[in-house]
Structures are given as C-alpha cells and as structure tokens.
Amino acid sequence: MDLGLKGKKAIVTGATKGICRALVEILAQEGCDIAFCARSQDDVDATAEALKGYGTRIVGGTANVKDVEGYQKWLTEAAEELGGCDIFVPGVSAGGGMEGEKSWYRAFEIDLMGVVRGFDALFPFLKASGNASVVFISTTAAVETFIAPMPYNAIKASLITYAKQLSQAHAKRGIRLNVVSPGPILIEGGSWDQIRQNDEAFFNSILAQQPDGRMGEADEVARTIAFLASDAASWVTGTNLIVDGGFTKRVQF
Ligand SMILES: NC(=O)c1ccc[n+]([C@@H]2O[C@H](COP(=O)([O-])OP(=O)(O)OC[C@H]3O[C@@H](n4cnc5c(N)ncnc54)[C@H](OP(=O)(O)O)[C@@H]3O)[C@@H](O)[C@H]2O)c1
C-alpha cells in the first residue's frame, strides 16, 4: 500500500526522543520534508543529522512549548522554511505528576495549550494545504481509570474532544484531525523505563495487565500516527485510535 506521504511537509514537536523520534524517522523514510523541535540543541542536531540520510528536507530547531511566543514563532518559521505544512503532530507532554495545582498548570500549559497554540499557529498553512492531516497524541489513561486521579489523564482526555470538534469544523477546508492514544510504551530512558528501575513491583503490575505480557514500542505507535497522517487514511477523521496491545479492557463501540 502506498501511503502517499512522498513530498508532504510535516511538522512534529518533541521529536528527538520516544514516539515522535520514531515518527520522524518513518516520515523521512517515506519521503516527507520535516521540521521538528525539542529543547536540547545537541539532540536536535543528532536527530537532524540522522534524518538527512533519507535525502528529504530536514529543519531541526530548538523551541520550548512553554515559551508561547518563541514556540509559535518557531512553528511559523518552520512552515515557511518547508514551504507549507500538510501534517502536524504536536507530541510534547509535561508527563504525569500529582503535585496539586502545579501539576494541573503544567499539564494545561504543555499538554493542552501546546497543542491548541500549535494548531492555531499552523492553521493558515494547513488550510492552504487543502489536504492536511493533524494527529494529537492522547493516552489510554484518558479513556480508562489509571493509577490515580491526576491532571495528565484529564487534560489528555480534553484533546480527544477538541480534536473531534476541530475535525467537524475543518473538514470542508480539507483538514483531517485524529487522535492516537497509546498504552504504556517502553522507551529507553523514558518514563516506563524509569519506573522499571525505581519501582519494579508497580512496573510488573502494569505489565501483568497486558494480554501479550509486554509493553509497546515507540515504533508501533509511530506507524499508526504515520498512517493517520497519510492519504491512505483519507476517510478517517475525528477518531481516537487506541494503540495499546489490549491494555484497555472496555469495549469500544
Ligand atoms: N511513553 C508512553 O508510555 C506514552 C503513553 C501514552 C501517551 N504518550 C504520549 O506520547 C507523546 C510522546 O511521549 P514519549 O514518551 O514518546 O516521549 P518523551 O520521552 O515524552 O519525549 C519528549 C520529547 O519532547 C521534547 N520536549 C519535552 N518537553 C518539551 C518542551 N517543553 N518543549 C519542547 N520540546 C519538549 C523532548 O526533548 P527535550 O527534552 O530536549 O526538550 C523529547 O524530544 C506524549 O504526548 C505522551 O504524553 C506516551
């Protein structure tokens, strides 16, 4: 199946590690021009160097989603440098945390407003594309009770509703919007790797809930995002695709 990604212009935030690092690798392999950001210059340089091997246009930049002006400026400049934007995946998260209001504000600012502001900044380019695809990243912790009441789970849930609303509003402009909700993904140096090292009993209790006895890999989520971003998913919009190897137990109608 041809995904039809060749020549598309993609912007991905938080793409030097984890799921979005795997995503930009796939998109570059498939022939996309890519702009991506993260905070660490060294990691941006290393990622850009690796992606340039695929022969497409690669624009790596440092931007902090928390810095509203700098973030939106980077997005606009990235789209201008690519000559447009057909695909947008805002991947940055503040992660979990149960430090009261501090965690609420962090999740609101990064996980929600980082996505909202990103979409707003790129909207003129997505509209101009006429055939654009946006994929938000939520989590299975948004759709089933997970660990404890916490801002991350609730704020990530709001992305699912917002994506649906945007998908209805912008279908006539040729913009599709979908959400991918991963279950626990084991990434070297990532949050589950840290939990494995610091709280093995808890890690194993989560592992025991996976029907096939393993956590997911970044690449397994990235491939799903690439599909939704591609023309192969041309009739898919407003959906929330769970990628969790059966971790969630509800029946999804
Ligand atoms: N891993 C999982 O199990 C899992 C499960 C469900 C959902 N998700 C979601 O999937 C997405 C990716 O998570 P991940 O675990 O694969 O990756 P991750 O380890 O959270 O990677 C974070 C990436 O974002 C960058 N970043 C972090 N804070 C930033 C900021 N304020 N501004 C700009 N860049 C920033 C990091 O680089 P710098 O540090 O250099 O900035 C890095 O490139 C997130 O939205 C997460 O909520 C993950």
Side-chain angles (χ1 to χ4, degrees):
M1 179 170 68
D2 179 9
L3 292 174
L5 284 166
K6 199 163 191 288
K8 299 262 190 197
K9 300 166 199 316
I11 299 185
V12 184
T13 70
T16 57
K17 292 175 197 139
I19 293 166
C20 289
R21 175 65 183 83
L23 174 65
V24 290
E25 191 89 26
I26 292 168
L27 294 178
Q29 273 169 14
E30 292 291 323
C32 290
D33 293 331
I34 297 167
F36 71 93
C37 72
R39 293 166 302 180
S40 154
Q41 183 74 60
D42 286 351
D43 289 349
V44 166
D45 291 346
T47 301
E49 198 51 39
L51 297 181
K52 277 176 185 157
Y54 296 106
T56 64
R57 189 155 192 201
I58 303 298
V59 179
T62 51
N64 188 338
V65 167
K66 259 176 98 165
D67 163 19
V68 182
E69 241 178 73
Y71 171 52
Q72 290 192 312
K73 185 169 176 282
W74 179 80
L75 286 168
T76 306
E77 287 175 358
E80 282 166 357
E81 208 168 328
L82 287 182
C85 179
D86 308 300
I87 294 168
F88 177 46
V89 182
V92 174
S93 170
M98 289 188 282
E99 299 166 89
E101 288 205 5
K102 195 174 152 199
S103 297
W104 278 103
Y105 281 112
R106 263 167 52 88
F108 174 76
E109 194 174 20
I110 306 275
D111 288 83
L112 178 59
M113 292 313 293
V115 171
V116 172
R117 289 170 180 147
F119 180 81
D120 288 349
L122 291 177
F123 180 62
F125 300 95
L126 296 165
K127 200 167 60 168
S129 160
N131 182 20
S133 178
V134 177
V135 184
F136 294 168
I137 309 180
S138 183
T139 166
T140 51
V143 300
E144 277 191 0
T145 299
F146 186 62
I147 304 181
M150 72 171 96
Y152 175 80
N153 305 5
I155 295 279
K156 282 287 200 186
S158 69
L159 290 178
I160 301 170
T161 306
Y162 192 52
K164 183 71 185 184
Q165 293 174 335
L166 290 173
S167 72
Q168 290 287 309
H170 299 306
K172 57 181 171 293
R173 298 184 178 92
I175 305 174
R176 292 185 296 109
L177 284 109
N178 291 290
V179 180
V180 163
S181 289
I185 307 300
L186 188 55
I187 295 158
E188 205 184 319
S191 51
W192 285 106
D193 193 20
Q194 282 167 29
I195 291 169
R196 179 168 60 173
Q197 287 168 40
N198 299 322
D199 190 348
E200 206 182 344
F202 176 63
F203 179 87
N204 286 336
S205 75
I206 298 299
L207 210 53
Q209 295 172 50
Q210 287 286 168
D212 63 353
R214 71 173 178 92
M215 287 192 180
E217 293 173 13
D219 204 44
E220 294 177 299
V221 182
R223 285 199 301 267
T224 310
I225 299 173
F227 165 69
L228 286 172
S230 78
D231 286 349
S234 56
W235 195 236
V236 186
T237 193
T239 200
N240 175 30
L241 193 40
I242 306 287
V243 185
D244 70 349
F247 184 72
T248 46
K249 303 294 180 276
R250 71 196 174 127
V251 177
Q252 190 180 352
F253 289 103

